[in-house]
Amino acid sequence: MRISISLAALVAVLLVPAAGAPPVKITVPAGYKVSTFATGLQHPTAMAWGPDGRLYVTEDTGLVVVARPGRKPLTVAAGLRTPLGLAWRGQELYVSEQGRLGRYTLAGTKLTARKILVRGLPFGLHQQDTVAVGPDDRLYLGSGSTCDACRDKNPRSAAVLSLKPDGTDVRVVARGLRNPFGLAFRTGTDKLYASVNGQDELGTKAKPEPAEMVVRVQKGGFYGWPRCWPSYAKKTLAGRCRGVTPPVAYLEPHSSADGLAFWRGDLFVALWGQYLSNAHGRKLVRIHLGPPKRVTTFARGFDHPLALVVDKGGALLVADWGRGVIYRISAAGASAVGSVADSGATVAAPCRSSNFSVDPTGPISEPTGQHTLTFTLRNHGTACSLFGYPRVAFFDRTGKLPFGIWHGGDQVVTPRRPARLVIRPGRAAYVALNKYRCDLGNVRAARTVRLGFPRTVRQSFAITVRPRGWIQYCGRDDPGSGITVSPFEPSLRAAMRHW
């Protein structure tokens, strides 16, 4: 976002209409409809659904609030330094601010135990932006440049950073990104995308340059700033571009490409626009990543759209920074969320990995003399349906272990009848893993357990368990080794009946 910190107060006076201003017309394609989700916010910058089912929003006035349809926002945290990003990991809320990254813990309905995890990050013309939780259970943070086009000496500037959830092991993942504001993982994958704001002083009014861009963030990637930039006119890189990774999309110059969200199979980008001009941005664009790749305008009529998130009903929420309004865009005539019929026909929406957290229910138990570990799948999104059996793979610190789940051999998935159930927000389903005849003289820790679902027309995704999920590992030479996996069950007691 092209927000110069020194101008933020002036812009607030010049551009923001009074709270509760009458709704304006948002133009969307045929087949979609727009409604107002919440009003009364002050410069909303980021949104994320909490484990309690509430929508949390940062405001650049220094607040974290809960947006409530038909009611005033509820303040749950204050005193932050221009917060621009937030992300949930279980009960923990991560918030990015100027020069630092902090964490809160949700206790009931309150945010408690605030802790600054990382300090001293560089900021100036830009600052720290979106924070996202990756499928590897690391945090990813956009860190903007301190200047427009200079040699920024701090390697943590103009970069995407990665760190552990406790704030340690901060790494530079990708560099040469002038202001990587938006971050989003493509649904069900480890592919990370970023929206990037380009330089201010290139091109002319008649022929504006450079393009804003969206990049696929690759480990060790260099994206050009300040010596190479994306040309909007030529749709190619310009300048000194040897070794530069090209973008996946070229967007309108000076449009301030900011919030990102994957929705309905495509990537959506909020173009915040310019302070005192309507010439660029102030709209939502849709990027079809292909093949073939294409960029189209999806929605117009915003003041300054900034944050995007998908809601519990599968609609796209757009936070308008200028109006303090969250708009809801949904497919017209979309079916309501319901339940799964006995026949297996689904009325509920399919589950998505982003809706879930997965955690061990308790320590390893031995209900039958074997080692059993139960995992809880908690739904933080819309009501959705689960089908079939999970697939499991084990990982340690060096990568995938030589011990997997296959149909046949020692490692088997018990061929039980697939479970079908609807899991609603706040509810849980359970999967139990059973380790048979484990040789405790050769114990290894599985760092990650991935639960996948059979690929059907309904759904297919994977979930990563937190690194604290441990299970006994017996080694490849143990002929009695075996793992069985229960179907999904609506209760822990039902899951444990299989053992």
Side-chain angles (χ1 to χ4, degrees):
M1 179 166 58
R2 297 181 187 278
I3 289 186
S4 172
I5 295 169
S6 61
L7 290 177
L10 173 63
V11 172
V13 173
L14 293 177
L15 297 182
V16 180
V24 297
K25 184 177 180 180
I26 305 296
T27 303
V28 293
Y32 293 89
K33 58 184 179 181
V34 183
S35 58
T36 299
F37 178 84
T39 61
L41 294 108
Q42 295 293 320
H43 293 184
T45 57
M47 300 184 288
W49 290 101
D52 54 0
R54 299 189 298 177
L55 181 64
Y56 288 75
V57 183
T58 49
E59 299 180 338
D60 67 14
T61 56
L63 304 181
V64 179
V65 303
V66 173
R68 303 183 294 179
R71 303 170 64 188
K72 292 178 60 177
L74 174 68
T75 299
V76 291
L80 287 86
R81 303 191 310 206
T82 316
L84 295 184
L86 78 168
W88 283 95
R89 175 182 173 273
Q91 300 294 115
E92 297 172 334
L93 177 64
Y94 295 85
V95 185
S96 66
E97 307 174 63
Q98 285 181 3
R100 63 192 187 187
L101 179 69
R103 183 184 67 197
Y104 293 88
T105 299
L106 182 65
T109 60
K110 298 182 181 299
L111 293 181
T112 63
R114 184 186 182 190
K115 181 178 182 180
I116 303 301
L117 301 177
V118 183
R119 302 176 185 271
L121 295 173
F123 68 94
L125 181 65
H126 306 109
Q127 63 165 79
Q128 287 58 53
D129 303 313
T130 298
V131 59
V133 180
D136 57 357
D137 201 41
R138 291 179 65 89
L139 304 180
Y140 289 81
L141 176 65
S143 183
S145 65
T146 61
C147 55
D148 179 43
C150 66
R151 292 186 178 274
D152 215 330
K153 296 181 180 180
N154 193 320
R156 294 182 177 181
S157 185
V160 171
L161 310 178
S162 172
L163 59 150
K164 291 182 178 179
D166 62 1
T168 62
D169 191 28
V170 180
R171 306 174 188 173
V172 175
V173 177
R175 56 196 180 89
L177 297 158
R178 179 178 174 275
N179 189 26
F181 190 94
L183 295 177
F185 283 91
R186 191 168 191 176
T187 309
T189 76
D190 61 357
K191 296 178 180 179
L192 177 62
Y193 291 80
S195 60
V196 185
N197 297 175
Q199 299 179 36
D200 290 328
E201 304 301 328
L202 295 175
T204 65
K205 185 175 182 179
K207 296 181 179 180
E209 291 283 3
E212 312 287 50
M213 64 181 181
V214 171
V215 302
R216 163 86 186 282
V217 179
Q218 301 188 45
K219 185 177 180 180
F222 176 64
Y223 294 88
W225 183 86
R227 61 177 171 83
C228 175
W229 58 88
S231 169
Y232 185 70
K234 299 179 180 179
K235 301 298 188 293
T236 188
L237 294 176
R240 294 181 291 118
C241 299
R242 184 175 181 179
V244 174
T245 302
V248 298
Y250 295 80
L251 305 179
E252 181 184 347
H254 308 307
S255 60
S256 189
D258 295 322
L260 295 181
F262 279 95
W263 184 52
R264 301 178 70 84
D266 289 328
L267 179 60
F268 288 76
V269 189
L271 302 186
W272 189 89
Q274 297 175 296
Y275 288 122
L276 304 177
S277 170
N278 294 321
H280 302 288
R282 304 195 184 214
K283 62 185 179 182
L284 205 62
V285 297
R286 183 177 197 164
I287 302 175
H288 180 66
L289 295 172
K293 295 178 183 176
R294 62 179 182 271
V295 179
T296 57
T297 296
F298 180 77
R300 295 180 181 273
F302 305 100
D303 188 11
H304 287 294
L306 182 53
L308 305 177
V309 72
V310 178
D311 79 359
K312 301 175 183 180
L316 183 65
L317 301 184
V318 183
D320 193 318
W321 179 92
R323 297 190 181 114
V325 174
I326 299 176
Y327 297 102
R328 185 178 190 268
I329 303 176
S330 59
S335 59
V337 174
S339 60
V340 178
D342 293 338
S343 65
T346 179
V347 180
C351 295
R352 299 180 178 182
S353 58
S354 58
N355 290 354
F356 283 87
S357 62
V358 185
D359 294 286
T361 298
I364 294 175
S365 61
E366 297 185 43
T368 61
Q370 301 170 2
H371 299 271
T372 300
L373 179 61
T374 305
F375 292 94
T376 308
L377 288 72
R378 296 197 182 278
N379 185 6
H380 310 303
T382 182
C384 61
S385 54
L386 295 174
F387 298 86
Y389 305 108
R391 294 185 302 120
V392 181
F394 293 103
F395 295 75
D396 65 10
R397 294 176 179 84
T398 62
K400 193 169 182 177
L401 297 177
F403 189 96
I405 299 299
W406 308 97
H407 288 280
D410 289 333
Q411 299 84 42
V412 299
V413 175
T414 305
R416 294 194 179 94
R417 175 179 171 274
R420 293 184 175 90
L421 64 100
V422 171
I423 179 169
R424 301 186 181 280
R427 301 291 178 85
Y430 298 87
V431 175
L433 308 181
N434 179 262
K435 189 71 190 69
Y436 174 59
R437 289 179 58 184
C438 193
D439 177 4
L440 296 180
N442 182 19
V443 175
R444 293 183 66 180
R447 185 180 184 192
T448 307
V449 178
R450 295 184 184 273
L451 304 177
F453 301 84
R455 184 172 295 279
T456 69
V457 295
R458 296 185 175 97
Q459 67 203 42
S460 177
F461 65 81
I463 301 175
T464 302
V465 176
R466 307 302 179 204
R468 63 179 179 272
W470 296 74
I471 194 168
Q472 305 292 345
Y473 171 65
C474 297
R476 70 175 76 199
D477 298 323
D478 177 6
S481 298
I483 291 181
T484 52
V485 183
S486 82
F488 301 107
E489 296 290 356
S491 70
L492 176 61
R493 181 183 299 271
M496 295 304 293
R497 276 204 305 266
H498 296 285
W499 316 116

